[in-house]
Amino acid sequence: MEYDCLILGAGLSGLYAALQLQQRGLRCAVLEARERPGGRIFGISPYDDETRFDLGPTWLWPEFQPLIAGLTRTLGIDLFAQQTGGAALYEDPNQPAPLRIDGESPNAHSYRIAGGTFRLIEALAERLAPDTIRTGRRIAELHQRSDHIEVRTVADDGREESFGAPHVVSTLPLRLLADSVRFEPALPAGHAESFAATPTWMAAHAKFIAFYDAPFWREARLSGEVFSRRGPLTEIYDASPVRGGPYALFGFFGLPAHARRTLGRKELAGRSLAQLQRLFGDAALQTRGWELKDWSEDPLTATAADAVPPAGHPAYGLPEALRTAWDGRLLFAGSEASAGHGGYLEGALEAAATACALIGPNNTDQNRK
Ligand SMILES: Cc1cc2nc3c(=O)[nH]c(=O)nc-3n(C[C@H](O)[C@H](O)[C@H](O)COP(=O)(O)OP(=O)(O)OC[C@H]3O[C@@H](n4cnc5c(N)ncnc54)[C@H](O)[C@@H]3O)c2cc1C
């Protein structure tokens, strides 16, 4: 057999799993439906190739997240503190003007990756064996065979392929896995029910970002942070690069997914810019451009059930009995499988490490005979 292990999904969890297994000498491929790796880690570089602006995850907390702290050090990735200098603003529907809030920001311990979070994906991909990441291959079916698992993929043009390995690590968000992949035989009921009930972190949300030639909010001694009960953006932050411009502000919408869909991108952008003008003055209308990413409409992250976000941060993690299936050959990772840091970048690493540790070297040796 060509592979010791197949990894499903080339997000952070999938690439980290591939690195761990290849460092142990196992032969593996990562099968990915999108035409790019990264999954929820996604940024755009509208002005120069050096600077990506994040439309997915932005922050990490190295003080409390040992795996990502260590990985960024190993990969030589520079971190910088989230810009929090200056006052934050608070918008209340019953107040005529926003209130300035001085004092330490709740984001004072949040860090960003210089050049954008996608640097992490690029640096991991560079360390994998050539051709490890196979993009444009959507997993459609998994079949349990006597000594391996067969993975069937389909490309956008309908081309089907089949891969096989004694072990398969899925890093698809658990709910998406249960919703979109066919298992033969069916997954045990306990697995299927638990996975379907696991919300994909941030899948219900959308980000808006506006680009500027000057950081006019900093000039007014504002951090760019806003907490708003008026909206449409409920939280806003400085999203500028580590040095120089173009400068940027990003925000999360408070409107639910169905309301965003009804309004459409242009209307949402218009209302967001009007809010920024209300908060920061007319300079906020002089954008170089804007972008909006609605994750609830992305079928490779969100299912219909993800349109409604969970009330708080869910209690993620898989009990031991649900970490594997099919005699231990099929393993489940992805951030939501992590008990300690589920939903976060740190969780994607932790879940991958937990799954990889369950793949013993003996299985591999037997297979090569
Ligand atoms: C808007 C937003 C903001 C966030 N902010 C933060 C933050 O500030 N800090 C933080 O720590 N975390 C944040 N997160 C969460 C963070 O992005 C995730 O925890 C992390 O990226 C999950 O990585 P993963 O590899 O587990 O999953 P994913 O990145 O979802 O990777 C799964 C992969 O599987 C692929 N896939 C899906 N279906 C198939 C299929 N059928 N066949 C093949 N491939 C498939 C997907 O394309 C994807 O590449 C945020 C997320 C979002 C959306």
Side-chain angles (χ1 to χ4, degrees):
M1 215 169 284
E2 196 182 343
Y3 298 111
D4 299 312
C5 184
L6 290 166
I7 295 160
L8 315 184
L12 181 59
S13 202
L15 298 192
Y16 189 62
L19 185 67
Q20 296 228 316
L21 295 176
Q22 288 188 349
Q23 284 175 341
R24 281 168 43 188
L26 275 68
R27 301 157 306 165
C28 52
V30 184
L31 305 174
E32 167 59 47
R34 289 178 166 108
E35 292 299 339
R36 59 163 183 88
R40 277 171 274 178
I41 299 181
F42 174 59
I44 51 163
S45 44
Y47 303 108
D48 68 71
D49 290 344
E50 292 296 297
T51 310
R52 272 209 181 80
F53 293 90
D54 294 316
L55 292 170
T58 303
W59 297 304
L60 41 114
W61 295 271
E63 240 177 288
F64 317 106
Q65 299 182 324
L67 291 176
I68 198 127
L71 183 65
T72 49
R73 253 195 322 272
T74 307
L75 297 175
I77 283 176
D78 293 328
L79 305 182
F80 67 105
Q82 169 67 32
Q83 148 72 24
T84 55
L89 294 176
Y90 171 69
E91 255 201 323
D92 186 298
N94 303 316
Q95 301 279 347
L99 300 173
R100 283 177 82 104
I101 313 171
D102 290 300
E104 192 183 76
S105 151
N107 259 303
H109 299 274
S110 307
Y111 281 79
R112 294 174 53 201
I113 290 177
T117 312
F118 198 76
R119 273 296 303 134
L120 195 53
I121 295 300
E122 286 172 327
L124 276 172
E126 279 164 20
R127 278 161 181 79
L128 297 177
D131 298 326
T132 299
I133 306 173
R134 310 290 194 83
T135 55
R137 290 170 169 91
R138 183 175 60 77
I139 317 301
E141 295 175 14
L142 300 188
H143 292 257
Q144 184 182 27
R145 305 294 183 207
S146 59
D147 63 347
H148 71 281
I149 294 175
E150 184 191 343
V151 179
R152 294 195 188 157
T153 66
V154 57
D156 279 348
D157 63 6
R159 200 164 70 92
E160 293 178 13
E161 279 176 284
S162 176
F163 300 81
H167 285 100
V168 169
V169 177
S170 172
T171 70
L172 272 56
L174 296 168
R175 178 180 269 172
L176 185 65
L177 178 71
D179 191 68
S180 61
V181 174
R182 197 172 81 79
F183 293 84
E184 186 57 50
L187 271 186
H191 286 69
E193 280 161 25
S194 161
F195 294 179
T198 304
T200 301
W201 185 237
M202 297 302 287
H205 293 276
K207 258 190 180 184
F208 174 80
I209 185 163
F211 306 106
Y212 297 101
D213 287 324
F216 48 84
W217 56 96
R218 293 184 193 169
E219 286 151 19
R221 288 181 294 113
L222 294 170
S223 63
E225 273 179 309
V226 180
F227 305 96
S228 173
R229 292 182 57 221
R230 268 186 82 178
L233 302 171
T234 47
E235 292 178 32
I236 300 170
Y237 302 93
D238 189 313
S240 310
V242 57
R243 269 178 296 280
Y247 300 87
L249 291 168
F250 92 80
F252 291 108
F253 287 97
L255 296 164
H258 67 84
R260 298 196 301 264
R261 185 167 303 181
T262 305
L263 289 173
R265 287 171 65 83
K266 270 198 164 165
E267 179 64 24
L268 287 171
R271 290 186 187 196
S272 302
L273 292 172
Q275 180 183 11
L276 293 177
Q277 180 191 26
R278 199 166 73 216
L279 292 159
F280 298 112
D282 289 346
L285 294 181
Q286 308 303 314
T287 66
R288 275 177 81 157
W290 57 266
E291 192 48 76
L292 191 162
K293 167 80 182 161
D294 196 328
W295 289 91
S296 71
E297 294 186 358
D298 192 326
L300 293 170
T301 294
T303 68
D306 287 309
V308 180
H313 197 100
Y316 284 124
L318 290 177
E320 210 173 319
L322 300 187
R323 283 186 204 151
T324 67
W326 292 356
D327 303 326
R329 290 192 186 280
L330 177 57
L331 300 101
F332 304 103
S335 186
E336 284 73 21
S338 155
H341 300 269
Y344 295 110
L345 298 170
E346 178 78 358
L349 301 180
E350 188 181 80
T354 304
C356 290
L358 295 173
I359 300 176
N362 290 344
N363 298 312
T364 311
D365 294 337
Q366 277 165 16
N367 195 50
R368 281 190 185 150
K369 278 178 195 156

